[in-house]
Amino acid sequence: MTKETICQMALHEIGEHSYVEGTPGYAACELYFRQTFLFLLKRFDWSFARKRVRLQRSGEVWALPPDCLRIVELGGLRHWRKYGACVVPEVDGWSDGDVWVVYTSSECAMEGIIPDDVPDFAQVMIFHLAAAICGCVSGDEGKRQELLEKAEGVLREAALLDATQDASNDQHPLESMLNNSITV
């Protein structure tokens, strides 16, 4: 789903029907779109925005990828701290192997595109964006609160669905035992 589609749908939620350059709705969407997207990506470990890479060492630090928004998991160091765009091992945190990171990428937000296979996240984005732009476009505080409550409800459902699907391997937990015969 493109930025234009998301903005158009968000504007519809607040009763506006035109995402046209020069209108207050367009200006509000341009102002809040990227920040809202980044805010939502950071709130949860969304599987569609997750990446895994091996980090490059530079002296005594490891540089994080430029699109790293949030570290989900870091391997190869026992104890570490994040300083800006670098990972620094603590005194007893050194490791001789590779250092890798699983992280939430900001790439989708920078491109302004939500993949088509995550419609639940798209709904979350639409409602959060609508709540963010509501004050600029309509000034209706009641509508803004209503949209924010709706957005948070949709966010909880989408996060649960994403976590459930991410953790599922679609296999019966006893499948290997059920397919083996027991012989004496």
Side-chain angles (χ1 to χ4, degrees):
M1 191 174 281
T2 66
K3 176 183 176 182
E4 291 75 24
T5 305
I6 295 162
C7 291
Q8 184 69 42
M9 294 174 88
L11 285 166
H12 272 76
E13 288 296 326
I14 59 174
E16 292 292 317
H17 300 289
S18 60
Y19 178 65
V20 178
E21 193 171 345
T23 62
Y26 182 87
C29 285
E30 290 299 306
L31 182 63
Y32 286 101
F33 181 83
R34 183 171 290 160
Q35 184 59 34
T36 302
F37 205 149
L38 292 171
F39 169 75
L40 291 173
L41 285 176
K42 235 179 153 172
R43 286 197 59 194
F44 183 73
D45 174 27
W46 300 100
S47 59
F48 76 91
R50 188 182 313 133
K51 290 185 177 180
R52 183 183 195 277
V53 296
R54 192 173 137 254
L55 297 181
Q56 298 298 315
R57 186 173 177 177
S58 175
E60 294 187 8
V61 302
W62 282 264
L64 290 168
D67 65 331
C68 180
L69 188 60
R70 174 179 172 265
I71 295 175
V72 175
E73 182 181 355
L74 188 114
L77 296 175
R78 287 187 296 272
H79 303 286
W80 54 273
R81 290 192 188 271
K82 180 181 179 279
Y83 292 101
C86 296
V87 172
V88 180
E90 295 292 314
V91 175
D92 61 344
W94 286 95
S95 174
D96 292 332
D98 287 340
V99 175
W100 53 266
V101 65
V102 175
Y103 67 98
T104 300
S105 170
S106 63
E107 184 178 26
C108 290
M110 295 303 127
E111 293 174 0
I113 295 175
I114 297 176
D116 289 336
D117 62 341
V118 287
D120 299 315
F121 181 83
Q123 281 299 114
V124 172
M125 180 64 186
I126 290 163
F127 286 124
H128 267 279
L129 182 59
I133 66 175
C134 191
C136 299
V137 177
S138 72
D140 185 350
E141 183 59 29
K143 181 70 172 173
R144 190 181 81 73
Q145 282 297 91
E146 176 188 323
L147 286 166
L148 210 47
E149 288 172 16
K150 200 173 197 178
E152 287 300 308
V154 173
L155 174 65
R156 283 190 298 276
E157 289 175 22
L160 178 62
L161 180 63
D162 189 70
T164 302
Q165 288 180 350
D166 189 45
S168 172
N169 64 7
D170 296 326
Q171 296 175 4
H172 190 284
L174 300 175
E175 183 177 357
S176 63
M177 287 175 51
L178 293 172
N179 290 334
N180 291 326
S181 63
I182 300 174
T183 57
V184 181

